């Protein structure tokens, strides 16, 4: 039995990992755009960024995915499954990520900005050379957790029949009817994919706390 | 495109289904609160196998998708003679998943108690049970209530996943309405707006609660 099902699990795993990586990259950019947008001095930009964040944090990924895949076509926008999946996942994760960006940037002590101003740095130099290097380090563990949430979120694309890991498992289950084996293996595969991220976060947190106490 | 007449026609049916969504949220939250506390206590236990099991359980549940956990509960348990209705399977799955998040919340609350409180309880000859019941928990839970409120909102937003195991909540109702009429736009938009309005207004309430707790 295992010889028959493992290859299809492997195909599904590839789709799941692709989805996670593509969405993570786009979400990363969205997170910075929206995070900085919310700290902008222009009211319109702040409002726009806040609207984006509140809409995508106020509803669940499930609703967003279904809306993008089933409701958008009525406006004449028909997206392939993969694009709809990546779009929903990255917009959702980007909204959560923007809160990480915003909160870590605020948490850089005010004296740092003041010192940079006193040293006659331009706003761009201030951000690039003083604020970001300190904020980025603090963001890392939170972004790691976000990637795990993203990986877990990819399971939902199976419901719009994109053939990811979970979809492959449900199809196999309906043909060979061995739920115990199939769903146990499925859970274990997700756990294994997430392991490098969990371990990475632990390592970074350990490194960051070294010498702090 | 958008058809108001149709939207108003389906609105009552969607609002009726909201009842199932809300009751699933609260039952699952109750499960998460109880199991979360048990997990936190188990992790602090001196009995190594118990704390290792709790730690492993939290790690595993937190890094696997809720959807797959729901499938597991709904399709695997019947193999062993334990058939659950979609509602029961759904609240167990959602509750167990978020219990691992709430375990962290409890832990944060407990770890913020100054060591002096433990020492004083010991000096006053409190039993372990009384130390927890009278000293530690009454001080560690109130500060984390806003965080718990946020998890309640998160769980509310996640209930549409239960439609995957055929629970007829708000999202499943929208799906059925959509497939009857081949118009998904109105149904899904109404669901989205309902979630947005309810979760955003409750998160504002939690923020106010947070401010009030901080003032004290």
């Amino acid at each position: 039995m295992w010889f028959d099902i493992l290859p299809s699990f492997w195909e599904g795993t590839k789709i799941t990992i692709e989805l996670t990586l593509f969405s993570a990259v786009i979400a990363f950019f969205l997170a910075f755009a929206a995070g900085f947008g919310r700290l902008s001095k222009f009211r319109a930009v702040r409002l726009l960024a806040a609207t984006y964040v509140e809409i995508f944090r106020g509803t669940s990924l499930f609703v967003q995915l279904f809306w993008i895949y089933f409701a958008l076509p009525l406006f004449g926008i028909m997206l392939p499954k993969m694009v709809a999946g990546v779009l929903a996942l990255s917009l959702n994760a980007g909204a959560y990520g923007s809160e990480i960006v915003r909160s870590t940037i605020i948490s850089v002590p005010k004296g740092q900005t003041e010192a940079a101003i006193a040293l006659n740095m331009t706003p761009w130099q201030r951000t690039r050379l003083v604020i970001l290097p300190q904020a980025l380090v603090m963001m890392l563990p939170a972004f790691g957790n976000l990637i795990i949430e993203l990986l877990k979120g990819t399971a939902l694309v199976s419901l719009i029949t994109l053939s990811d890991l979970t979809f492959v498992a449900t199809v196999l289950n309906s043909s060979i009817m061995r739920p115990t084996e199939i769903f146990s293996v499925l859970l274990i595969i997700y756990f294994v994919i997430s392991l490098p991220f969990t371990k990475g976060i632990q390592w970074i947190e350990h490194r960051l706390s070294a010498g702090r106490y | 495109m958008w058809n108001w007449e149709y939207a108003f026609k389906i609105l009552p049916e969607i609002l009726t289904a909201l009842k199932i969504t809300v009751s699933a949220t609260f039952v699952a939250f109750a499960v998460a609160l109880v199991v979360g506390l048990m997990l936190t206590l188990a992790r602090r236990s001196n009995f190594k196998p118990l704390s290792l099991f709790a730690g492993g359980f939290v790690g595993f549940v937190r890094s696997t998708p809720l959807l797959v956990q729901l499938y597991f509960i709904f399709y695997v348990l019947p193999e062993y003679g334990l058939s659950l209705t979609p509602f029961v399977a759904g609240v167990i799955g959602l509750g167990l998943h978020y219990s691992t998040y709430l375990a962290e919340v409890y832990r944060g609350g407990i770890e913020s108690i100054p060591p002096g409180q433990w020492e004083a309880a010991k000096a006053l000859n409190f039993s372990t049970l009384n130390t927890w019941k009278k000293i530690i928990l009454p001080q560690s839970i109130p500060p984390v209530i806003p965080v718990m409120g946020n998890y309640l909102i998160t769980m509310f937003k996640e209930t549409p996943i239960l439609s995957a195991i055929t629970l007829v909540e708000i999202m499943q109702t929208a799906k059925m309405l959509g497939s009857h009429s081949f118009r998904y736009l109105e149904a899904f938009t109404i669901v989205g707006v309902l979630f947005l309005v309810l979760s955003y207004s409750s998160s504002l309430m939690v923020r106010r609660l947070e401010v009030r707790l901080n003032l004290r």
Side-chain angles (χ1 to χ4, degrees):
Chain A
M1 171 195 148
W2 293 110
F3 280 111
D4 302 331
I5 69 170
L6 282 179
S8 33
F9 265 122
W10 172 238
E11 289 305 312
T13 308
K14 278 195 284 190
I15 302 267
T16 293
I17 292 178
E18 266 172 39
L19 267 172
T20 311
L21 292 182
F22 281 149
S23 315
V25 172
I26 302 175
F28 187 75
F29 286 107
L30 280 173
F32 272 86
F36 276 101
R38 292 195 73 176
L39 298 169
S40 162
K41 53 183 173 187
F42 301 109
R43 207 183 131 80
V45 177
R46 284 204 307 268
L47 207 68
L48 186 73
T51 312
Y52 158 65
V53 173
E54 294 300 347
I55 286 181
F56 281 89
R57 276 166 33 112
T59 54
S60 68
L61 174 62
F62 189 107
V63 176
Q64 292 153 21
L65 183 66
F66 271 65
W67 201 87
I68 289 175
Y69 190 67
F70 290 106
L72 269 190
L74 285 168
F75 291 109
I77 307 171
M78 203 74 141
L79 297 171
K81 289 169 198 166
M82 187 75 180
V83 178
V86 170
L87 191 64
L89 283 164
S90 48
L91 282 169
N92 184 271
Y96 283 93
S98 78
E99 289 291 284
I100 300 173
V101 173
R102 190 177 68 101
S103 60
T104 45
I105 286 182
I106 293 177
S107 72
V108 175
K110 198 132 182 81
Q112 299 285 326
T113 313
E114 287 162 0
I117 294 173
L119 291 169
N120 214 11
M121 285 180 163
T122 64
W124 170 236
Q125 282 177 323
R126 258 182 356 235
T127 313
R128 188 171 54 99
L129 299 172
V130 181
I131 309 297
L132 266 187
Q134 301 182 55
L136 271 176
V137 177
M138 289 192 275
M139 286 175 202
L140 284 176
F143 269 123
N145 276 321
L146 193 64
I147 291 182
I148 295 177
E149 292 297 322
L150 195 56
L151 167 69
K152 285 158 60 178
T154 58
L156 293 181
V157 300
S158 64
L159 299 170
I160 59 165
T161 66
L162 178 60
S163 52
D164 77 321
L165 203 43
T166 306
F167 185 77
V168 167
T170 50
V171 170
L172 276 176
N173 184 44
S174 51
S175 63
I176 60 173
M177 296 291 195
R178 298 287 288 270
T180 312
E181 291 88 344
I182 290 175
F183 288 118
S184 307
V185 170
L186 184 59
L187 282 173
I188 291 168
I189 296 178
Y190 274 109
F191 181 68
V192 171
I193 302 177
S194 74
L195 265 184
F197 296 106
T198 350
K199 292 290 161 208
I201 298 165
Q202 279 169 4
W203 184 76
I204 292 168
E205 278 178 342
H206 182 73
R207 284 290 301 268
L208 286 183
S209 62
R212 289 277 163 92
Y213 294 101
Chain B
M1 280 238 220
W2 182 269
N3 184 340
W4 280 108
E5 208 178 314
Y6 176 67
F8 279 114
K9 210 183 88 194
I10 59 172
L11 187 61
E13 206 165 328
I14 292 180
L15 286 177
T16 324
L18 191 62
K19 262 187 268 172
I20 303 287
T21 295
V22 172
S23 49
T25 308
F26 279 103
V27 178
F29 187 61
V31 172
L33 279 179
V34 174
V35 180
L37 183 60
M38 290 187 332
L39 283 173
T40 315
L41 296 181
R43 269 182 108 169
R44 298 181 63 94
S45 162
N46 288 328
F47 183 55
K48 260 277 184 261
L50 186 64
S51 63
L52 279 178
F53 171 77
F57 180 81
V58 169
F60 190 79
V61 170
R62 280 183 72 138
S63 45
T64 48
L66 172 59
L67 179 65
V68 181
Q69 292 160 8
L70 287 170
Y71 284 153
F72 192 89
I73 293 172
F74 195 61
Y75 294 115
V76 174
L77 293 187
E79 298 272 295
Y80 302 96
L82 193 65
S83 277
L84 302 170
T85 64
F87 186 86
V88 175
V91 296
I92 292 177
L94 192 64
L96 280 184
H97 191 82
Y98 279 94
S99 73
T100 59
Y101 288 83
L102 283 171
E104 292 294 304
V105 177
Y106 282 117
R107 192 173 68 110
I110 291 168
E111 283 178 358
S112 69
I113 304 290
Q117 299 284 327
W118 292 96
E119 289 156 13
K122 189 165 255 175
L124 292 169
N125 213 10
F126 274 53
S127 66
T128 315
L129 182 68
N130 270 333
T131 310
W132 279 102
K133 220 170 64 183
K134 301 226 162 92
I135 314 283
I136 305 302
L137 290 181
Q139 293 185 84
S140 49
I141 291 179
V144 295
I145 286 175
V147 189
M148 290 176 170
N150 282 329
Y151 275 113
L152 177 64
I153 299 170
T154 309
M155 289 173 75
F156 169 66
K157 286 185 299 190
E158 290 299 329
T159 51
I161 295 192
L162 305 191
S163 69
I165 53 166
T166 68
L167 178 66
V168 185
E169 40 67 71
I170 178 168
M171 192 70 191
Q172 185 77 352
T173 309
K175 270 192 248 175
M176 289 193 296
L177 286 166
S179 62
H180 283 317
S181 61
F182 298 105
R183 290 191 63 87
Y184 284 103
L185 176 65
E186 287 84 358
F188 283 169
T189 308
I190 292 174
V191 169
V193 170
L194 271 178
F195 271 109
L196 192 59
V197 169
L198 290 172
S199 66
Y200 188 64
S201 54
S202 17
S203 75
L204 290 182
M205 264 154 55
V206 170
R207 239 174 270 176
R208 276 178 55 187
L209 181 74
E210 214 165 353
V211 172
R212 277 183 57 181
L213 284 174
N214 279 344
L215 284 179
R216 270 200 313 184

